[in-house]
Coordinates of all heavy atoms in Angstrom, one line a residue:
S1 N 17.6 9.8 -3.0 CA 17.0 10.3 -4.3 C 16.7 9.1 -5.3 O 15.8 9.2 -6.1 CB 18.1 11.2 -5.0 OG 19.3 10.6 -5.2
D2 N 17.3 8.0 -5.1 CA 17.0 6.9 -6.0 C 15.6 6.2 -5.6 O 14.9 5.9 -6.5 CB 18.1 5.7 -6.0 CG 19.3 6.0 -6.7 OD1 19.4 7.0 -7.5 OD2 20.4 5.5 -6.3
E3 N 15.3 6.2 -4.3 CA 14.1 5.7 -3.9 C 13.0 6.7 -4.4 O 12.0 6.3 -4.8 CB 14.0 5.6 -2.4 CG 14.9 4.3 -2.0 CD 15.0 4.3 -0.4 OE1 15.2 5.3 0.2 OE2 14.8 3.3 0.1
I4 N 13.3 8.0 -4.2 CA 12.3 9.1 -4.7 C 11.9 8.9 -6.2 O 10.9 8.8 -6.5 CB 12.7 10.5 -4.3 CG1 12.8 10.7 -2.8 CG2 11.9 11.4 -5.0 CD1 13.4 11.9 -2.4
N5 N 13.0 8.6 -6.9 CA 12.9 8.5 -8.4 C 12.1 7.3 -8.7 O 11.2 7.3 -9.7 CB 14.3 8.5 -9.0 CG 14.9 9.8 -9.2 OD1 14.3 10.9 -9.1 ND2 16.2 9.8 -9.2
D6 N 12.3 6.1 -8.0 CA 11.6 4.9 -8.3 C 10.1 5.2 -7.9 O 9.2 4.8 -8.6 CB 12.1 3.8 -7.4 CG 13.5 3.2 -7.8 OD1 13.9 3.6 -8.9 OD2 14.1 2.6 -7.0
V7 N 9.8 5.8 -6.8 CA 8.5 6.1 -6.4 C 7.7 7.0 -7.5 O 6.7 6.6 -7.9 CB 8.4 6.9 -5.0 CG1 7.0 7.4 -4.8 CG2 8.8 5.9 -3.9
R8 N 8.4 8.1 -7.9 CA 7.9 9.0 -8.9 C 7.6 8.2 -10.2 O 6.5 8.3 -10.8 CB 8.7 10.2 -9.1 CG 8.7 11.1 -7.8 CD 9.6 12.3 -8.0 NE 9.4 13.0 -9.2 CZ 8.4 14.0 -9.4 NH1 7.6 14.2 -8.3 NH2 8.3 14.7 -10.5
T9 N 8.5 7.3 -10.6 CA 8.4 6.5 -11.9 C 7.1 5.6 -11.7 O 6.4 5.6 -12.6 CB 9.7 5.7 -12.1 OG1 10.8 6.6 -12.3 CG2 9.4 4.8 -13.4
N10 N 7.0 5.0 -10.6 CA 5.8 4.1 -10.5 C 4.5 4.8 -10.4 O 3.5 4.4 -11.0 CB 5.9 3.3 -9.2 CG 7.1 2.2 -9.2 OD1 7.5 1.8 -10.2 ND2 7.5 1.9 -8.0
I11 N 4.4 6.0 -9.9 CA 3.3 6.7 -9.9 C 3.0 7.3 -11.3 O 1.8 7.1 -11.7 CB 3.4 8.0 -8.9 CG1 3.4 7.5 -7.4 CG2 2.2 9.0 -9.1 CD1 3.8 8.5 -6.4
I12 N 3.9 7.7 -12.0 CA 3.8 8.2 -13.4 C 3.2 7.0 -14.2 O 2.3 7.2 -15.0 CB 5.1 8.7 -13.9 CG1 5.4 10.1 -13.3 CG2 5.1 8.9 -15.4 CD1 6.8 10.6 -13.5
E13 N 3.9 5.9 -14.1 CA 3.4 4.6 -14.9 C 2.0 4.3 -14.6 O 1.2 4.0 -15.5 CB 4.4 3.5 -14.7 CG 5.7 3.8 -15.3 CD 6.7 2.6 -15.1 OE1 6.5 1.8 -14.2 OE2 7.9 2.8 -15.6
T14 N 1.6 4.4 -13.4 CA 0.2 4.1 -12.9 C -0.7 5.1 -13.6 O -1.7 4.7 -14.1 CB 0.1 4.1 -11.4 OG1 0.9 3.0 -10.9 CG2 -1.2 3.7 -11.0
V15 N -0.4 6.3 -13.4 CA -1.3 7.4 -14.0 C -1.4 7.3 -15.5 O -2.5 7.4 -16.1 CB -0.8 8.8 -13.6 CG1 -1.5 9.9 -14.4 CG2 -1.0 9.0 -12.1
L16 N -0.3 7.0 -16.3 CA -0.4 6.8 -17.7 C -1.3 5.5 -18.0 O -1.9 5.6 -19.0 CB 1.1 6.7 -18.2 CG 1.9 7.9 -18.2 CD1 3.3 7.7 -18.7 CD2 1.3 9.1 -18.9
R17 N -1.1 4.5 -17.3 CA -2.0 3.3 -17.5 C -3.4 3.6 -17.3 O -4.3 3.1 -18.1 CB -1.6 2.1 -16.7 CG -0.2 1.5 -17.2 CD 0.3 0.5 -16.3 NE -0.7 -0.7 -16.3 CZ -0.8 -1.6 -15.2 NH1 0.0 -1.5 -14.2 NH2 -1.6 -2.5 -15.3
L18 N -3.8 4.4 -16.2 CA -5.1 4.9 -16.0 C -5.7 5.6 -17.2 O -6.8 5.6 -17.6 CB -5.1 5.6 -14.7 CG -5.2 4.7 -13.4 CD1 -5.0 5.5 -12.2 CD2 -6.4 3.9 -13.4
Y19 N -4.8 6.6 -17.7 CA -5.1 7.4 -18.8 C -5.5 6.5 -20.0 O -6.6 6.7 -20.6 CB -4.0 8.5 -19.2 CG -4.5 9.2 -20.4 CD1 -5.1 10.4 -20.3 CD2 -4.2 8.7 -21.7 CE1 -5.5 11.1 -21.5 CE2 -4.6 9.4 -22.9 CZ -5.3 10.6 -22.7 OH -5.6 11.3 -23.8
Q20 N -4.7 5.5 -20.3 CA -5.0 4.6 -21.4 C -6.3 3.9 -21.1 O -7.1 3.7 -22.1 CB -3.8 3.6 -21.5 CG -2.5 4.3 -22.0 CD -1.4 3.3 -21.8 OE1 -1.4 2.3 -21.2 NE2 -0.2 3.7 -22.6
K21 N -6.5 3.4 -19.9 CA -7.8 2.7 -19.7 C -9.0 3.6 -19.9 O -9.9 3.2 -20.6 CB -7.7 2.2 -18.3 CG -9.0 1.6 -17.8 CD -9.0 1.0 -16.3 CE -10.3 0.5 -15.9 NZ -10.2 -0.1 -14.5
F22 N -8.9 4.7 -19.3 CA -10.1 5.7 -19.4 C -10.3 6.2 -20.9 O -11.4 6.3 -21.4 CB -10.1 6.8 -18.4 CG -10.2 6.3 -17.0 CD1 -9.3 6.5 -16.1 CD2 -11.5 5.6 -16.6 CE1 -9.5 6.1 -14.8 CE2 -11.6 5.0 -15.3 CZ -10.6 5.4 -14.4
N23 N -9.3 6.4 -21.5 CA -9.2 7.0 -22.9 C -9.8 5.8 -23.8 O -10.6 6.2 -24.7 CB -7.9 7.5 -23.3 CG -7.9 8.1 -24.6 OD1 -8.7 9.2 -24.8 ND2 -7.1 7.8 -25.6
G24 N -9.5 4.6 -23.5 CA -10.1 3.5 -24.4 C -11.5 3.4 -24.2 O -12.2 3.1 -25.2

């Protein structure tokens, strides 16, 4: 579950950074 949480966190952070890039 810790590995799954790390994976999900990394995916979430990447998606949020993409949102910021495209929104900008």
Side-chain angles (χ1 to χ4, degrees):
S1 61
D2 288 338
E3 289 174 315
I4 292 170
N5 287 337
D6 289 346
V7 166
R8 290 177 57 82
T9 297
N10 290 338
I11 292 168
I12 289 168
E13 289 173 356
T14 299
V15 170
L16 292 176
R17 288 179 59 205
L18 284 168
Y19 177 91
Q20 292 168 343
K21 176 182 177 173
F22 291 122
N23 192 51

